[in-house]
Amino acid sequence: MQRVNPEGLYATVQAALPHLRPRGRIVVVSPPIYSRFFRGKTAYAMGKVGMSVLTKGLAMDFERQGLADMAITSLWPAVAIESAATEQFTRQNPSEAAELRKPTVFSHAILSILKAPPSLVNGQLLLDEDFLREHAGITDFSGYSVVPGSSPRRIMPAQLPDLTVAEQDDEGVRRDSNAKPKL
């Protein structure tokens, strides 16, 4: 998981960045960082949270470099989404499909992120439903339910922690680690 999730993302972003500058967008599938996410899935959470850390860090680098038209955003579902991963459960217990949304909710959120101003989404760890509600004006999510008439349970917290600190912009003395030392 560690090789695929954070290391794979890092390598992909490194390869893509030269082609994306100066006005590119990156959308990562990784969660907001909060304590309950770790429970019962430590190894998986380590990899996924590593991807979220890459989102936060690279966004700060875009800002530092004055790349106002670049943005990296992480997106995660607020409700479980129908996928190959959930199919194993619904095959055994078809009634569990009532707890799922169609994947189109996620694709609609991605499209909304891509249309948003970079400054609004850069470095954000977003939930699909919340972003669509707040920035795309969608308030009725019933059309995304896999089982018509069902109300899938939200699996993500309603309130997520703010990861910023008062000293957010204090970098101390900046040094170029690529510069050769003067002799």
Side-chain angles (χ1 to χ4, degrees):
M1 290 304 247
Q2 307 317 311
R3 303 296 311 260
V4 171
N5 283 330
E7 291 181 33
L9 175 62
Y10 184 81
T12 302
V13 167
Q14 286 296 102
L17 275 176
H19 306 285
L20 295 173
R21 280 192 172 111
R23 31 180 355 108
R25 298 292 188 94
I26 301 167
V27 179
V28 177
V29 180
S30 67
I33 301 171
Y34 69 101
S35 60
R36 193 183 78 197
F37 185 77
F38 314 138
R39 186 180 304 141
K41 53 185 177 277
T42 304
Y44 177 73
M46 286 172 54
K48 283 304 202 181
V49 168
M51 297 169 73
S52 299
V53 170
L54 187 145
T55 296
K56 295 301 256 181
L58 188 56
M60 290 177 178
D61 290 345
F62 288 164
E63 289 172 12
R64 175 197 278 168
Q65 295 169 23
L67 296 170
D69 290 329
M70 295 284 293
I72 181 168
T73 310
S74 282
L75 184 65
W76 198 251
V79 170
I81 293 179
E82 181 181 48
S83 68
T86 61
E87 184 181 323
Q88 63 182 322
F89 303 111
T90 56
R91 198 173 330 121
Q92 292 173 353
N93 186 357
S95 66
E96 288 191 25
E99 293 298 324
L100 301 175
R101 282 195 177 145
K102 298 173 187 173
T104 51
V105 69
F106 208 70
S107 60
H108 290 163
I110 290 170
L111 291 171
S112 293
I113 288 167
L114 294 174
K115 292 176 184 175
S119 61
L120 178 69
V121 296
N122 189 38
Q124 297 300 306
L125 308 177
L126 303 172
L127 296 175
D128 57 357
E129 176 182 317
D130 297 347
F131 191 79
L132 288 170
R133 183 179 293 108
E134 294 168 22
H135 300 286
I138 297 174
T139 57
D140 181 4
F141 291 87
S142 62
Y144 293 115
S145 296
V146 169
V147 175
S150 68
S151 295
R153 179 180 73 85
R154 184 178 169 109
I155 58 175
M156 296 300 288
Q159 184 82 26
L160 294 161
D162 179 4
L163 301 176
T164 58
V165 296
E167 301 84 4
Q168 186 82 3
D169 296 324
D170 182 1
E171 295 186 49
V173 177
R174 283 182 60 184
R175 302 198 190 280
D176 183 351
S177 61
N178 293 321
K180 295 185 188 244
K182 294 180 181 179
L183 300 175

